[in-house]
Amino acid sequence: MIEVTPQAVDDMMDWLSGISDAEGPGTTRLLYSPSWIDAQEQLKEKFETLGFNCEFDAVGNLFATLKGSEQPEEVIASGSHVDTVTKGGRLDGQLGIMAAYMAIEKLIEKNGQPKKSLQIISMAEEEGSRFPYVFWGSKNIFGLANKADVENIEDANGVGFEEAMHAAGFDYLEGAPKFNKIAAFLELHIEQGNYLEKEGKQVGVVNAIVGQKRYDVVLKGQANHAGTTLMEYRKDTVECFARIVTQGIDKAREEGNPLVLTFGRVEPKPNTVNVVPGETLFSIDCRHTDQAVLNRFTAELEADMRSLAEEMGIEIDIDNWMDEAPVPMDTHLVQTLEEVCKENDLNYQVMHSGAGHDAQIFAPRVPTAMIFVPSIDGISHNPAEHTEAKDIVPGIQALAGAFEKLAY
Amino acid sequence: MIEVTPQAVDDMMDWLSGISDAEGPGTTRLLYSPSWIDAQEQLKEKFETLGFNCEFDAVGNLFATLKGSEQPEEVIASGSHVDTVTKGGRLDGQLGIMAAYMAIEKLIEKNGQPKKSLQIISMAEEEGSRFPYVFWGSKNIFGLANKADVENIEDANGVGFEEAMHAAGFDYLEGAPKFNKIAAFLELHIEQGNYLEKEGKQVGVVNAIVGQKRYDVVLKGQANHAGTTLMEYRKDTVECFARIVTQGIDKAREEGNPLVLTFGRVEPKPNTVNVVPGETLFSIDCRHTDQAVLNRFTAELEADMRSLAEEMGIEIDIDNWMDEAPVPMDTHLVQTLEEVCKENDLNYQVMHSGAGHDAQIFAPRVPTAMIFVPSIDGISHNPAEHTEAKDIVPGIQALAGAFEKLAY
């Protein structure tokens, strides 16, 4: 097993997260911004110093390749996204790039040149934080994004996507993608949840990324005086909402993990103490790793909502505006990661990812898996996002172990 | 029974509701404003034409008295508030003044001078719409309001209460109140609820005004990622809120009328689709005519909320910021009104008032009762507030019948 010191991890993350458009706390490195350009350039330099061959693709994904001695065409790749949200943490995305670098650096020290090629990918964009478009980086690796998707979108300052891209020296992908021949892709990421921390595990071996459905629901009843309207004459949309939530969450708990159900947004009208709320808008976010279960559960939830509303004489409008399929990881790669953890006494947990990641763009196209390291309190997209460096090391060791098995 | 035509009611209400500070729809006649002064002056003139002796008290309540022939010191009074909310309806408050006028006008035609005195009171203020103080009119009749309550309050334009009062030609009450010797007080008002309409009744005989308690409750759990946080690791304050509402409303329905329970305001944080809400503020409004029931029910509700929160590991802060006692009406006057309705074949319903009224200031001090006329859909404090004139007439007849029994 390679040895990585917590200090080395901290130094690396201090360096990269310090490249930011704005003063801290937190890192702000939006797509095609000055700090984004700076980060990609400095990463290229760092990778070249270690003997990598570095190349940007058309849109600005950085590929750093260490050529294999025997099967150089077999590319074992790892990486994540270099962009951050506004005032993001120091680990989301960028840790995946540096973890690949630190793992390969130590493997070269230990074993020299690999037989197959090892590649670090510093992906241009995943967050959708500057422009309303996500996975611009990973989608371009496989030719899945195109001009029509972005040519009319702008950032908050009115700068067009195309204008920003051109100013950074990049352009649309034309013709066939160049870097999509990958034998295996591994992405290390912070969990952004509290499961590993709660379970006291060092490493998460991700076997699937959840599918998710999101809804906006509007209930229309009748606004009434809270004092003069007897209970039997009410069409109280907050009461209806409460019955939907109570029944829905009871059923979600009955269904069990990995199903999650969240009613995050609630907006009654007129939202005042002495009026029975005549209208309530609320959101639903429901996720599961199994499409069939997700479909069955949400179909039942929709039917339950309709009958609860009908019983109360309340109109209901259900808008399912997001429907993303679950993405299973490659079974063989998951096994490989499990073996590495077992052989090296890493306390691991096979688990799913409840959030989306670049890996979900790779997984349907090339063998893909993910490694999670714990997140303190699950906090992310926030300057308070943190994991002690000593708790990041086991993840890097697992990644290095997988590289060793796959490329040496 | 006196005869009042719907046309006469409409003409009267068109006239009075037309005296407004602002363009319609709706009437805006705030305390001590030009239209308020105008309305009180025009009412005085109208009452004097009918032979009433008119007098303002210190703060601007208008008393119009028709002296009794045998027991003039026995004053049978009726009336309501002349102020409106901003863009209020044409009936709230002002109908009670005009109903008394129309009833007495017809009684004089029918029976001449009463034995006891009949009095119309056009009260200065009830709504608290210009300044943050309610019942200024009725409280001053009994010397229950004083300088300290209002000397530091301002309207939305920064005009002080005292300044507005002085500009209108009025001042604080000094010494003992002059018009508080009332043998009986009857207030006719629109129901502002939909009970009479739903039950198909012409007249409501009010036997009590509800007591009410209002709360702000804050739940503090933990904000978490909606995808990465398993159900068992959540402290979801919207779930806790929903369980409180569902259980609370189930128990309210079990308790039965006249208990009402409303959760009108809900504000989760951060109030977004993909975050488990870490904090939720909500309001409670609970009313009942029986103080003991109200106390028992809300004590149980508070205990239930605490245990639901505790079970979920959620902190709860309960602030009971309003606690007003129920006000029973005078049993004898309620009986008198029932007799009048029976004798005149008025389809009546003994009921409580779920809203507050001037009568609640009178009731603990002088024998008091209220008459309700239906409100279409219970709509009030809104230009859409409406009752067909033909559905107002029976209430005026009931009032006249009571005057006849009490004063002739």
Side-chain angles (χ1 to χ4, degrees), chain B residues 170-319:
Chain B
F170 296 103
D171 206 341
Y172 299 113
L173 169 71
E174 297 212 350
K178 187 175 169 186
F179 297 96
N180 62 346
K181 283 169 201 71
I182 296 169
F185 179 71
L186 296 168
E187 182 177 9
L188 181 147
H189 206 281
I190 51 165
E191 183 196 337
Q192 302 179 288
N194 58 7
Y195 184 60
L196 292 173
E197 188 189 21
K198 295 263 186 191
E199 301 286 319
K201 301 285 183 178
Q202 297 177 294
V203 174
V205 174
V206 177
N207 60 0
I209 295 175
V210 291
Q212 53 182 303
K213 293 189 189 232
R214 293 189 186 171
Y215 296 81
D216 280 342
V217 182
V218 178
L219 300 172
K220 281 188 188 156
Q222 192 167 38
N224 280 123
H225 192 296
T228 60
T229 315
L230 295 179
M231 298 306 278
E232 66 255 42
Y233 295 133
R234 297 183 175 205
K235 292 180 179 179
D236 180 345
T237 55
V238 159
E239 179 192 346
C240 184
F241 166 73
R243 293 189 190 282
I244 287 169
V245 172
T246 302
Q247 192 186 65
I249 289 187
D250 282 345
K251 288 196 173 182
R253 289 185 196 277
E254 217 171 278
E255 183 70 46
N257 295 332
L259 189 111
V260 285
L261 179 65
T262 308
F263 298 86
R265 185 175 166 213
V266 196
E267 286 171 13
K269 283 184 190 169
N271 210 16
T272 188
V273 60
N274 60 347
V275 180
V276 179
E279 191 172 320
T280 295
L281 177 150
F282 65 95
S283 69
I284 300 175
D285 179 311
C286 188
R287 310 190 193 192
H288 198 285
T289 49
D290 182 327
Q291 184 76 68
V293 178
L294 184 61
N295 286 346
R296 172 179 50 71
F297 185 85
T298 52
E300 200 177 317
L301 178 66
E302 287 182 42
D304 287 347
M305 292 197 291
R306 287 189 202 284
S307 49
L308 279 168
E310 196 182 350
E311 275 169 34
M312 296 182 66
I314 284 173
E315 279 178 58
I316 185 167
D317 179 64
I318 301 175
D319 175 19

Side-chain angles (χ1 to χ4, degrees), chain A residues 180-393:
Chain A
N180 62 346
K181 285 170 199 69
I182 296 168
F185 178 72
L186 295 167
E187 181 177 8
L188 181 146
H189 205 282
I190 50 166
E191 182 195 340
Q192 301 179 288
N194 58 7
Y195 184 59
L196 292 172
E197 188 189 22
K198 294 265 185 188
E199 300 287 319
K201 301 285 182 178
Q202 295 177 295
V203 174
V205 174
V206 177
N207 60 359
I209 295 174
V210 290
Q212 54 183 301
K213 294 189 190 235
R214 292 188 187 173
Y215 297 81
D216 279 342
V217 182
V218 178
L219 300 172
K220 280 188 189 157
Q222 191 167 40
N224 280 123
H225 191 295
T228 61
T229 316
L230 294 179
M231 298 307 279
E232 64 255 43
Y233 296 133
R234 298 184 175 204
K235 293 180 177 180
D236 179 344
T237 55
V238 160
E239 179 191 346
C240 185
F241 166 73
R243 293 189 189 282
I244 287 169
V245 172
T246 301
Q247 191 186 64
I249 290 185
D250 282 344
K251 288 195 174 183
R253 290 187 194 277
E254 219 169 275
E255 184 69 46
N257 295 333
L259 189 111
V260 284
L261 178 64
T262 307
F263 298 86
R265 185 175 165 214
V266 195
E267 288 172 13
K269 282 182 191 169
N271 211 16
T272 187
V273 59
N274 59 347
V275 180
V276 179
E279 190 173 322
T280 295
L281 178 151
F282 65 95
S283 69
I284 301 174
D285 179 312
C286 187
R287 310 190 193 193
H288 198 284
T289 50
D290 183 326
Q291 184 75 69
V293 177
L294 183 61
N295 286 346
R296 173 177 52 71
F297 185 85
T298 51
E300 200 177 317
L301 178 64
E302 287 182 43
D304 286 347
M305 291 196 293
R306 287 190 203 283
S307 50
L308 279 168
E310 197 182 347
E311 275 169 34
M312 295 181 68
I314 283 173
E315 279 177 59
I316 184 165
D317 179 65
I318 302 175
D319 175 19
N320 176 205
W321 58 270
M322 183 201 277
D323 189 355
E324 283 184 4
V327 181
M329 300 288 107
D330 182 76
T331 318
H332 177 69
L333 282 182
V334 169
Q335 276 171 2
T336 302
L337 286 169
E338 285 197 78
E339 281 161 27
V340 168
C341 290
K342 281 177 194 158
E343 286 162 17
N344 294 286
D345 287 330
L346 297 173
N347 189 7
Y348 77 99
Q349 174 73 44
V350 177
M351 64 184 291
H352 70 280
S353 169
H357 293 289
D358 289 310
Q360 75 194 57
I361 305 298
F362 285 75
R365 293 160 185 96
V366 301
T368 298
M370 290 191 74
I371 296 166
F372 275 167
V373 295
S375 294
I376 294 178
D377 283 336
I379 297 164
S380 188
H381 286 194
N382 188 307
E385 173 187 281
H386 191 61
T387 305
E388 294 295 336
K390 69 172 177 49
D391 298 322
I392 292 174
V393 169

